């Protein structure tokens, strides 16, 4: 996933430097005084910043035309030239600071192609970036339209905003089809529930996000899929796609109990262990427990998933089933029994590896952030719109965190408050010990990739 790079600590921001120079020279003192007194608007129609942008762009366009013609305006050297200036054409450019009216110069020969404001361009590139960022933050097309009109006085139709956000679809498709590593020791899979229009109805669908851990312990978002059809067929398609993108082996897949998924994984990578997320299993079992008994039941379940062996776990489950709490909550026992075959692989691993596959927290923290973004959106028009927003949201979250870290570059560690990477590019804690455990458990499969 392409993310914004962090600025090196020693790199000077040219825009910041230019503004500082103007401030030190006192060039903005009068502007600041008028703005503070309410006599001058900074943004919106007629504001200082749109006028400043207008002046800079028109001067730049005039310079481009001079370079194109080969002589300055009014220069006698231009007499008899086959081409000359021919007035201007009015044009309004939508920008981040409001609408900017421009007088675009033209030539008699019609061969002038401005680069600063290309022909046909009606928006500055920064405005498109702003719209995409607002969309990634969870705002709807209607919300964005109202926000732009209210804050910077720029009116854009819903269709225009939709086209701007759709401009990333090719990038999303390229990301979703990019080549992957040959082996991922661990893949986590978790789902978000989204509402998608299906004909004349709105239905709940699951959007699945897969996060793979590579041999260096670095996490990567491998893909996003929206489940529209029957489980087994859908999962067979997902696994086939990952294999076609280069994944030759997966050691462990950690997920919630998904119908048809283990069979699809085993058909694609026959030796892969599909491990039920223990935290999900505990939550599912606790769903039937009354509030006043939750702590007691949680304590009674703990010996099951911390047991040193499968036999010990079976003994603990039987003991819980025969207890007063077990008899009170038979559905809790049934939940563990139904998931037992997909849970017990967990017990074959040493503690270093159990800590990593115990839960899908690596992806749940991401989904928690994504749920905050999609909760107020109502429904999506189609599956592609779901994938587009989730991809943009992940990119936006990671970019914002990267910028926050860049601002703190050079500060002592105890003074840094910026959050680390959420998922993409972050490293699994305790990975060296876990990798050692994996090398002992799967020497023939992981060994060739470690040499």
């Amino acid at each position: 996933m392409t993310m914004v790079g962090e600025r090196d600590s020693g790199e000077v921001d040219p825009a910041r430097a230019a503004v500082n120079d103007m401030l030190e020279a006192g060039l903005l003192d009068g502007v600041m005084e008028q703005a503070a007194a309410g006599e001058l608007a900074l943004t919106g129609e007629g504001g200082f910043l749109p006028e400043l942008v207008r002046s800079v762009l028109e001067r730049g366009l005039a310079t481009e035309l001079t370079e194109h013609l080969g002589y300055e305006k009014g220069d006698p050297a231009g007499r008899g030239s086959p081409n000359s200036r021919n007035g201007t054409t009015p044009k309004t450019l939508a920008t981040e600071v409001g609408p900017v009216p421009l007088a675009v110069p033209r030539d008699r020969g019609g061969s002038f192609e401005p680069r600063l404001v290309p022909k046909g361009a009606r928006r500055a590139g920064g405005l498109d970036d702003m719209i995409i960022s607002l969309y990634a933050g969870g705002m709807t097309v209607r919300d964005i339209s109202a926000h732009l009109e209210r804050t910077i006085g720029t009116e854009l139709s819903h269709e225009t905003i939709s086209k701007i956000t759709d401009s990333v679809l090719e990038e999303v498709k390229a990301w979703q089809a990019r080549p992957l590593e040959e082996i991922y020791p661990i893949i986590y899979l978790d789902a978000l529930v989204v509402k998608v229009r299906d004909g004349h109805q709105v239905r709940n669908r699951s959007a699945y996000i897969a996060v793979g851990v590579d041999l260096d312990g670095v996490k990567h978002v491998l893909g996003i899929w929206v489940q529209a059809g029957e489980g087994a067929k859908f999962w067979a398609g997902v696994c086939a796609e990952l294999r076609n993108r280069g994944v030759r082996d997966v050691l462990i897949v950690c997920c919630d109990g998904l119908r048809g998924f283990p069979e699809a994984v085993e058909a694609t990578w026959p030796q892969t262990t599909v491990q039920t997320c223990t935290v999900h299993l505990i939550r599912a079992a606790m769903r039937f427990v009354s509030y006043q008994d939750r702590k007691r039941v949680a304590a009674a379940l703990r010996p099951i998933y911390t047991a040193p062996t499968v036999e010990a776990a079976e003994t603990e489950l039987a003991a819980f089933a025969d207890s007063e709490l077990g008899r009170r909550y038979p559905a809790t026992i049934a939940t563990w029994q139904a998931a037992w075959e997909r849970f017990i692989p967990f017990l074959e691993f040493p503690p270093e590896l159990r800590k990593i596959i115990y839960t899908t927290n690596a992806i749940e923290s991401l989904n928690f952030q994504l749920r905050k973004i999609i909760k107020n959106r109502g429904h999506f028009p189609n599956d592609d719109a779901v994938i587009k927003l989730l991809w943009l949201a992940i990119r936006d979250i990671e970019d914002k965190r990267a910028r926050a870290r860049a601002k703190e570059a050079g500060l002592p560690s105890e003074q840094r408050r910026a959050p680390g990477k959420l998922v993409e590019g972050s490293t699994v804690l305790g990975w060296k010990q876990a990798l050692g455990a994996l090398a002992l458990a799967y020497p023939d499969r992981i060994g060739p990739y470690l040499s």
Side-chain angles (χ1 to χ4, degrees):
M1 179 172 294
T2 303
M3 301 293 176
V4 171
E6 297 185 23
R7 189 181 292 275
D8 294 334
S9 58
E11 185 180 343
V12 178
D13 187 327
R16 182 73 259 174
V19 171
N20 286 339
D21 289 342
M22 295 176 71
L23 289 171
E24 290 174 6
L27 299 178
L28 297 178
D29 291 351
V31 172
M32 294 164 66
E33 289 174 4
Q34 285 184 282
E39 300 171 357
L40 177 66
L42 293 179
T43 60
E45 189 171 355
F48 170 75
L49 291 177
E51 285 300 317
L52 181 62
V53 172
R54 174 184 181 178
S55 298
V56 170
L57 290 179
E58 287 185 347
R59 178 170 294 190
L61 289 168
T63 301
E64 283 190 16
L65 181 58
T66 294
E67 291 176 355
H68 177 71
L69 295 176
Y71 62 91
E72 296 284 348
K73 186 176 182 179
D75 188 342
R79 293 174 185 171
S81 171
N83 200 1
S84 61
R85 290 170 172 78
N86 188 32
T88 60
T89 300
K91 180 176 189 173
T92 299
L93 188 70
T95 76
E96 298 160 279
V97 294
V100 174
L102 293 175
V104 181
R106 60 187 182 215
D107 62 329
R108 291 193 182 279
S111 57
F112 176 49
E113 295 285 345
R115 299 183 302 276
L116 196 56
V117 183
K119 288 182 178 179
R122 296 297 175 191
R123 300 181 308 276
L127 183 62
D128 285 14
D129 293 340
M130 175 193 287
I131 289 170
I132 289 173
S133 179
L134 292 172
Y135 187 85
M139 293 181 69
T140 65
V141 167
R142 189 178 300 277
D143 292 337
I144 294 171
S145 178
H147 174 76
L148 295 177
E149 185 174 358
R150 182 175 65 252
T151 56
I152 62 176
T154 296
E155 296 184 32
L156 293 178
S157 69
H158 297 169
E159 292 75 14
T160 297
I161 295 173
S162 292
K163 287 180 180 178
I164 293 171
T165 61
D166 283 346
S167 66
V168 302
L169 282 176
E170 289 303 315
E171 194 174 349
V172 175
K173 290 178 181 177
W175 171 79
Q176 189 87 333
R178 75 197 189 283
L180 299 174
E181 300 286 338
E182 287 192 22
I183 183 171
Y184 287 93
I186 301 172
I187 288 180
Y188 302 98
L189 192 73
D190 200 16
L192 290 163
V193 176
V194 293
K195 296 182 182 297
V196 181
R197 178 168 290 281
D198 182 7
H200 297 291
Q201 293 182 310
V202 174
R203 302 181 185 277
N204 283 344
R205 288 187 181 168
S206 294
Y208 290 94
I209 300 177
V211 172
V213 181
D214 66 20
L215 287 172
D216 295 319
V218 178
K219 290 179 279 190
H220 305 278
V221 181
L222 305 183
I224 303 170
W225 298 271
V226 178
Q227 184 171 8
E230 182 266 329
K233 183 178 180 181
F234 169 76
W235 289 121
V238 170
C239 291
E241 179 185 319
L242 290 173
R243 184 169 180 82
N244 290 339
R245 290 166 61 192
V247 182
R248 296 290 171 260
D249 198 5
V250 179
L251 303 184
I252 303 168
V253 177
C254 185
C255 62
D256 192 7
L258 302 172
R259 185 174 300 173
F261 180 63
E263 293 77 12
V265 169
E266 289 160 0
T268 308
W269 305 289
Q271 295 178 291
T272 296
T273 298
V274 179
Q275 171 64 54
T276 292
C277 169
T278 306
V279 170
H280 274 104
L281 181 54
I282 295 169
R283 287 176 187 164
M286 296 291 284
R287 189 180 301 135
F288 310 102
V289 180
S290 63
Y291 181 77
Q292 60 266 29
D293 288 333
R294 284 192 164 228
K295 287 186 178 180
R296 294 172 61 205
V297 171
L301 291 176
R302 182 174 174 79
I304 301 173
Y305 59 84
T306 58
T309 64
V310 175
E311 292 75 15
E314 288 174 343
T315 299
E316 294 293 347
L317 180 60
F320 176 62
D322 290 338
S323 69
E324 178 265 332
L325 282 175
R327 289 191 294 271
R328 186 181 302 176
Y329 300 110
T332 296
I333 305 298
T335 299
W336 277 86
Q337 291 172 337
W340 194 250
E341 291 304 314
R342 295 298 177 186
F343 160 70
I344 56 176
F346 174 81
L347 301 173
E348 300 291 340
F349 298 113
E352 298 86 358
L353 196 50
R354 285 192 188 189
K355 287 192 299 184
I356 293 175
I357 62 172
Y358 168 72
T359 176
T360 56
N361 271 349
I363 194 169
E364 285 185 25
S365 57
L366 170 63
N367 283 354
F368 175 75
Q369 298 291 335
L370 296 178
R371 285 188 185 97
K372 292 193 295 185
I373 290 170
I374 64 177
K375 67 179 181 180
N376 295 323
R377 289 191 58 88
H379 65 271
F380 293 86
N382 50 55
D383 294 348
D384 285 343
V386 176
I387 296 172
K388 176 180 71 172
L389 175 62
L390 294 179
W391 180 84
L392 282 171
I394 295 170
R395 187 181 70 170
D396 194 54
I397 290 168
E398 298 290 11
D399 287 355
K400 286 177 179 177
R401 290 184 171 215
R403 288 194 294 271
R405 291 193 298 273
K407 288 181 181 178
E408 295 183 353
L411 292 177
S413 58
E414 64 272 12
Q415 295 181 19
R416 298 181 186 179
R417 300 291 182 268
K421 296 174 181 177
L422 182 59
V423 169
E424 183 68 32
S426 63
T427 303
V428 174
L429 293 176
W431 179 250
K432 293 295 184 182
Q433 295 86 346
L435 183 60
L438 287 168
L440 291 174
Y442 306 102
D444 297 335
R445 293 166 64 190
I446 201 172
Y449 296 98
L450 296 176
S451 58

